[in-house]
Amino acid sequence: MSPEPDSAARLRAVEIGGDPGAVEGPLQGYHHETYVIALPPRPGGVGQGRWKCRAPRSNLLWFDRRCFASEEQLLTALHGHVRQIPEVVDVDGCGLQHFIEGVTLGSMYASGQGIPEDVFRQIVDVFGQLAALDADDLAADRKCDTVDRPVDGDTNGFLERLVCFTEERVYVENLKSFERLFKELGVEPDAFKQLRKTVAGLHERPFCLLHADLHRENFIVDSDRRLWTIDWELAMVGDPLYDLATHLYLMQYPMRQARRMARQWRTAVEAVRPGSSKGMEEDLDRLIDYKRAQSVFTDVIREALKLGSEPDSHWGQLVHSGLKLRRILMGAAGPLGLDLVPSPAQIMGALTRWCRAQEAAGVLRDA
């Protein structure tokens, strides 16, 4: 996803920053083409430091529902409510996010590794700050349809709309291109019937603001060991337990630390919004099962597209994809009712056949 030398995003960054040689980027990212710039001196010292100038990439597959109209508007609304989030400034009608100087949590502690106590405590604090906020507290426009805004406490309606998005917008909309691949991996349309049975029967819980994507690459640790939370694009209002389930699924903590996070989360959210953890003993597993199932549909497509039109020339990536998708399919076998999960070699073969078929049809080009 390299930019053109004169892409609109880069030209905008140069225009705002004023120095073409000082523009850094593009940063790695799927949804946006992002550059880092230093703003010219402004009255009162406003805008000191480095800032992110972004533009959405075109022709992308979207795997997650968007709830808020603008991430920058949401961040502005959150200041004073949530600590350690990027500041936003408006420059000539362009919202710039402050570039947080530091390193991602994932670069310090890889998936599956435990994290130190000072970072752990700060993540728990983030959950408490989020649980204290609901839709009425946020001066930020929402763009999701009315049907995607179930009444407060309707956790079953909230999750059903997420299942619908995965089924309709990720699976069905891409079925023309990926039906053969899904079938070879043992995933049929009836999988969604089994998924709905698996996740049915959630307890009611009061809704609050959710980040909905709290993983290691969305936490930045600065030089003072402060933890910053970035990438609020998937934020929504809904079931607080869903945020914990998403976090545990994505972080892949060692089991002991995962259990401790669940206990600490419960204490933090109940202190500010009583009832937020009601039924979590049964419902946390149901919500994690949804995340496991969702990963099948998103990651099968992502891994296939990574290979481009010549999978044999990307052997390392092909092996990685086979092992990764095997792990994901195994995790989702129960929630999706998969009778048989193919081996890594069988998955590699299915990916190779899919890529060649796409190339023959003139659809796929080198990634």
Side-chain angles (χ1 to χ4, degrees), residues 319-333:
V319 172
H320 172 81
S321 296
L323 293 172
K324 178 179 179 178
L325 292 181
R326 164 73 175 185
R327 183 178 69 253
I328 289 170
L329 287 163
M330 287 291 291

Side-chain angles (χ1 to χ4, degrees), residues 31-179:
H31 294 114
H32 291 89
E33 187 179 325
T34 303
Y35 296 89
V36 179
I37 60 174
L39 293 179
R42 307 178 77 201
V46 177
Q48 290 183 343
R50 299 199 295 164
W51 300 80
K52 293 194 292 185
C53 182
R54 309 186 310 168
R57 297 186 190 275
S58 60
N59 301 319
L60 288 180
L61 296 175
W62 291 84
F63 298 115
D64 299 280
R65 195 180 70 204
R66 266 61 180 164
C67 179
F68 288 95
S70 164
E71 183 182 0
E72 285 73 26
Q73 186 187 73
L74 175 62
L75 285 169
T76 299
L78 290 179
H79 272 280
H81 299 286
V82 179
R83 295 184 292 275
Q84 269 85 262
I85 60 175
E87 182 185 355
V88 175
V89 297
D90 185 274
V91 179
D92 299 330
C94 182
L96 305 181
Q97 290 187 33
H98 195 207
F99 180 77
I100 306 302
E101 305 288 352
V103 295
T104 66
L105 184 60
S107 68
M108 301 171 69
Y109 309 98
S111 179
Q113 292 183 348
I115 60 174
E117 182 63 23
D118 62 330
V119 174
F120 185 95
R121 288 197 307 268
Q122 291 180 77
I123 293 177
V124 173
D125 287 344
V126 170
F127 280 124
Q129 293 162 45
L130 290 171
L133 297 170
D134 59 30
D136 294 334
D137 297 318
L138 302 171
D141 297 330
R142 295 168 70 183
K143 66 179 182 180
C144 49
D145 295 335
T146 302
V147 70
D148 289 324
R149 304 184 196 183
V151 298
D152 186 24
D154 182 10
T155 52
N156 287 292
F158 168 79
L159 185 56
E160 169 60 19
R161 293 311 303 166
L162 293 177
V163 173
C164 282
F165 186 94
T166 301
E167 181 178 23
E168 297 168 5
R169 299 288 299 280
V170 181
Y171 179 68
V172 174
E173 281 194 11
N174 294 294
L175 203 54
K176 181 178 179 180
S177 296
F178 292 93
E179 183 175 16

